[in-house]
Amino acid sequence: MTAPHVAPYGTWKSPIDSNAIVTDAIRLSAIALDGNDIYWLEGRPTERGRSVLVRRTPDGETSDVTPPPFNVRTRVHEYGGGAFLVADGTIYFANFDDQRLYRHAPGTEPQALVPEHACRFAELVLDRTRDRLICVCEDHNPSNTEPINSLVAIDLATGAIAPLATGCDFYASPCLSPDGTRLAWIEWNHPAMPWDATRLQVAKIEDNGSLGPATCVAGSDERAAVCHPKWSPDGSLFFVSDRSNWWNLYRYTDGRTELLYELDAEFAYPHWVFGLSLYDFISAEQLLCTYTQNGKWHLARLNLLTRHLLRVDLPYTDLGSLHVANDRAVFIAGAPDMPTAAVLLNLGTGERSTLKQATSLVIDPGYLSVPEAIAFPTTDGETAHAWYYPPSNRDFTAPAGERPPLLVNSHGGPTAATAPTFSLKLQYWTSRGFAVLDVNYRGSTGYGRAYRERLQGRWGIVDLDDCAAGADSLVERGLADPNRLAIAGGSAGGYTTLAVLTFRDTFKAGCSRYGVSDLAILATETHKFESRYLDGLVGRYPEDKDIYTARSPLFHADRLSCPVIFFQGLEDKVVPPNQAELMVAALRDRGIPVAYIAFAGEQHGFRRAETIKRAIDGEFYFYSRIFGFEPADEIEPVEILNLG
């Protein structure tokens, strides 16, 4: 093996280019079992982001189930999830373009199940006894002050929609008891988010199909986020609650609630999307569950008789969409050196097989950066968390004494988290000579409710402090060049990016992807699900208008003096384009180097191959011009205003 070439950071030639990221990559978002068949959902950038349901039969053959132009994706809460159900070979799914529900029986074309209307649907449950679907409904009739959410039943013979549970602002996770006589669900009201305070309700299903009086099982007299209800085979109701600070598993039987296993770990994560499944039953005496501890996800068996938790030895650090049937488990999993994959695990033999990987691209480990979990001191005498990825490319080394440029990633949400899983987008940077710091600032999930709540009332303060402190800690360790510190983020991470560039002096450049610049616009123009989110994170609007103004980068653009590049989808309903455009205009008028690239047809989060490619290459090109290095690849230039 030849000695590595000596070349400045940022100029290294990498096999991980933007074509590799989009040409041979899909997004695996859900998996399900139906008899001996396995189904999963693939988001395909090369098909303009279309989500396709794929089936794998017992002989190992895979095939697309939903034909073009159908796009299996719901817009309930705008973030979607829970867009399909498979039962006895028949698929029920929400189609993105018209948001109607369709039924797709084997050997037929998909048929619309409901008439055209303003409703959206998610989390479909088959009520076999009554030949109907039960699901979440979000009614966007223009006459409504805001969309109306409810639980409804849809007659499979007529398509008629009947209300089941109404009156709350939000509903989620409907689930039928094994005998079909009871329905459980989660509900909550403004201004709470589902990770703040929810209620778990149970009601008997009457002879006419309606619901009897509901009983609140958990969440009524305590500030707790209750989530992920499931019925066990013996008719007990299981759920997850953070009443003890950590999202742990509970069981409700005959009017009594009990904690199943106490652990300083999270057996759930925030309800951003529908259709989450993080545990399932092997039998009435044993369940299979996932949990995260110190930033890594694990799989374990929980014996419900002995209360013994046994971790399953697997190479993954990120797990989700777990389902169990007939001694088989399927889930979506990934690790820093393993692409996200749909996985089948035989619970009897322990045999594991990969059904589908998000990419078939094989990368030599010499080009992959292995993350290190770091904790670092931040403001208020507290500690924040992050994953540090050093530059890594077997073919290159930097000149003696040179420190690498650092890209700090600020995740979205902000009530979300970043996990150490395989990402070609991240390795794109490290294999070219950038260090990357993926920050789980205070407010992130995975470290207990108390850590999550440290962002309450302080969004735009502690997240900024933690991103800056993380960068400073790497500079102090000699792992980053203090003159080449960049920060990037999307959505809420875009806000943190713009805010830290405005109100702190740590970073020298930044990238905002569909980020927020005016908090008041976000509070008044965003969709229903997040319309009161800022009540907790910032304050009530307009009562606390002064706080909104004080923390909005747009009103303090005179304090932002470093270059910024913006990427924005023009059909984004979560963070409208004016959030980026107003900030771009302010920086342009002040003579600050700024670039703006807008994408027609894109919503909140980029799904199309050409968009993803342009965004990552454009960001790298931008930094090359700002930090003064020459990329190894030819990249389509980006127009940078005010760049001398």
Side-chain angles (χ1 to χ4, degrees):
M1 183 175 177
T2 59
H5 301 291
V6 177
Y9 290 116
T11 68
W12 298 354
K13 180 72 174 178
S14 169
I16 307 171
D17 59 18
S18 60
N19 287 320
I21 291 172
V22 301
T23 301
D24 188 48
I26 57 173
R27 179 174 178 265
L28 295 166
S29 57
I31 192 168
L33 288 165
D34 182 52
N36 292 320
D37 293 337
I38 304 170
Y39 294 78
W40 61 81
L41 203 57
E42 296 184 4
R44 297 176 178 170
T46 54
E47 296 185 33
R48 302 180 70 80
R50 187 171 79 95
S51 291
V52 182
L53 194 62
V54 177
R55 176 177 60 233
R56 183 183 187 272
T57 51
D59 58 7
E61 293 295 317
T62 61
S63 59
D64 291 356
V65 178
T66 46
F70 290 102
N71 183 358
V72 183
R73 183 178 160 206
T74 178
R75 291 187 60 182
V76 179
H77 291 183
E78 296 299 338
Y79 293 104
F84 75 92
L85 166 71
V86 186
D88 303 324
T90 297
I91 296 105
Y92 305 90
F93 69 92
N95 182 50
F96 180 73
D97 286 345
D98 57 11
Q99 287 299 294
R100 297 171 74 183
L101 283 182
Y102 286 77
R103 174 169 43 196
H104 189 188
T108 68
E109 290 297 310
Q111 300 293 320
L113 184 59
V114 295
E116 291 189 59
H117 45 53
C119 291
R120 305 172 182 179
F121 306 94
E123 289 196 312
L124 316 176
V125 177
L126 180 62
D127 184 353
R128 299 176 188 274
T129 303
R130 302 162 188 88
D131 195 32
R132 64 182 185 174
L133 292 178
I134 295 173
C135 61
V136 175
C137 176
E138 188 173 78
D139 185 353
H140 284 255
N141 191 306
S143 64
N144 299 333
T145 303
E146 66 176 3
I148 296 175
N149 293 65
S150 61
L151 293 180
V152 300
I154 301 174
D155 189 293
L156 292 177
T158 65
I161 303 172
L164 289 178
T166 61
C168 286
D169 291 319
F170 301 99
Y171 293 87
S173 306
C175 54
L176 270 175
S177 61
D179 61 7
T181 63
R182 290 172 292 168
L183 184 73
W185 68 90
I186 299 293
E187 62 183 35
W188 69 98
N189 288 305
H190 287 312
M193 299 300 289
W195 46 85
D196 293 329
T198 61
R199 293 186 297 272
L200 172 58
Q201 301 276 31
V202 179
K204 179 179 179 296
I205 301 179
E206 305 290 2
D207 292 341
N208 63 1
S210 64
L211 297 181
T215 297
C216 184
V217 169
S220 62
D221 57 354
E222 57 186 335
R223 184 170 173 79
V226 184
C227 55
H228 305 325
K230 282 191 178 183
W231 297 92
S232 76
D234 67 3
S236 298
L237 181 59
F238 286 62
F239 61 92
V240 179
S241 172
D242 65 357
R243 61 196 294 182
S244 65
N245 182 54
W246 298 93
W247 263 318
N248 281 187
L249 283 161
Y250 291 78
R251 175 170 56 191
Y252 175 80
T253 309
D254 298 327
R256 185 170 63 91
T257 297
E258 56 182 329
L259 174 63
L260 292 172
Y261 190 85
E262 188 171 9
L263 186 67
D264 288 353
E266 307 274 41
F267 288 77
Y269 49 73
H271 181 99
W272 280 108
V273 298
F274 292 95
L276 299 176
S277 182
L278 297 173
Y279 68 94
D280 207 352
F281 297 94
I282 300 172
S283 66
E285 292 78 35
Q286 190 174 182
L287 61 77
L288 195 66
C289 58
T290 64
Y291 65 90
T292 181
Q293 195 170 45
N294 299 320
K296 292 184 179 180
W297 282 88
H298 306 280
L299 186 71
R301 292 174 181 254
L302 178 59
N303 187 308
L304 299 173
L305 299 178
T306 64
R307 306 296 177 88
H308 177 64
L309 186 75
L310 177 65
R311 185 184 294 182
V312 180
D313 186 22
L314 293 174
Y316 308 114
T317 55
D318 196 19
L319 292 157
S321 195
L322 172 67
H323 298 275
V324 177
N326 302 323
D327 216 27
R328 299 182 304 162
V330 293
F331 46 85
I332 305 293
D337 58 348
M338 301 172 64
T340 299
V343 179
L344 171 64
L345 177 66
N346 186 306
L347 297 175
T349 66
E351 181 182 356
R352 173 172 48 89
S353 58
T354 297
L355 307 176
K356 181 72 174 185
Q357 284 193 162
T359 177
S360 59
L361 185 67
V362 178
I363 304 295
D364 186 299
Y367 298 107
L368 297 179
S369 180
V370 178
E372 171 193 348
I374 66 171
F376 51 89
T378 185
T379 54
D380 305 319
E382 296 184 333
T383 298
H385 303 272
W387 294 98
Y388 164 65
Y389 295 78
S392 180
N393 187 318
R394 69 174 195 179
D395 300 330
F396 293 92
T397 187
E402 184 184 0
R403 296 185 184 185
L406 173 69
L407 178 62
V408 171
N409 283 331
S410 173
H411 67 70
T415 312
T418 183
T421 192
F422 184 84
S423 168
L424 285 175
K425 292 180 183 178
L426 190 151
Q427 301 289 347
Y428 172 103
W429 295 94
T430 55
S431 62
R432 283 167 170 74
F434 270 68
V436 173
L437 187 67
D438 232 352
V439 182
N440 276 323
Y441 47 77
R442 286 169 289 176
S444 302
T445 190
Y447 302 91
R449 183 179 181 111
Y451 188 82
R452 194 170 73 241
E453 289 190 333
R454 285 175 186 147
L455 199 62
Q456 289 293 96
R458 299 198 293 168
W459 190 34
I461 299 176
V462 299
D463 48 325
L464 279 57
D465 292 340
D466 294 354
C467 287
D472 289 339
S473 72
L474 294 185
V475 170
E476 291 171 3
R477 292 171 58 183
L479 299 176
D481 183 345
N483 296 313
R484 293 188 293 175
L485 303 178
I487 183 169
S491 190
Y495 165 71
T496 297
T497 293
L498 293 174
V500 76
L501 293 173
T502 303
F503 302 117
R504 305 290 188 273
D505 297 323
T506 303
F507 297 97
K508 310 306 178 184
C511 170
S512 170
R513 295 181 292 272
Y514 37 90
V516 177
S517 62
D518 183 349
L519 291 174
I521 292 179
L522 182 63
T524 56
E525 294 186 7
T526 195
H527 57 123
K528 178 186 177 182
F529 178 62
E530 293 183 293
S531 62
R532 301 291 298 277
Y533 191 10
L534 300 196
D535 282 26
L537 294 176
V538 181
R540 298 193 60 168
Y541 190 86
E543 293 90 332
D544 296 316
K545 182 178 179 180
D546 289 347
I547 299 176
Y548 280 72
T549 300
R551 296 188 197 171
S552 294
L554 179 64
F555 300 108
H556 306 277
D558 59 316
R559 297 177 59 179
L560 202 167
S561 57
C562 68
V564 186
I565 186 169
F566 295 78
F567 297 97
Q568 178 69 45
L570 293 179
E571 295 182 12
D572 194 335
K573 303 299 183 185
V574 178
V575 180
N578 61 351
Q579 290 273 5
E581 292 162 357
L582 290 169
M583 197 69 183
V584 169
L587 295 179
R588 180 197 63 213
D589 294 345
R590 288 193 54 241
I592 304 298
V594 61
Y596 177 53
I597 301 178
F599 301 105
E602 288 284 8
Q603 294 90 39
H604 195 66
F606 301 148
R607 287 176 165 80
R608 299 180 178 183
E610 61 271 23
T611 302
I612 297 169
K613 174 179 169 62
R614 179 60 170 151
I616 193 167
D617 280 342
E619 184 181 352
F620 189 77
Y621 176 87
F622 182 79
Y623 295 146
S624 74
R625 300 281 75 82
I626 301 304
F627 292 151
F629 62 84
E630 193 63 36
D633 303 312
E634 288 190 14
I635 299 176
E636 181 183 353
V638 171
E639 181 183 11
I640 305 174
L641 303 178
N642 301 324
L643 185 65

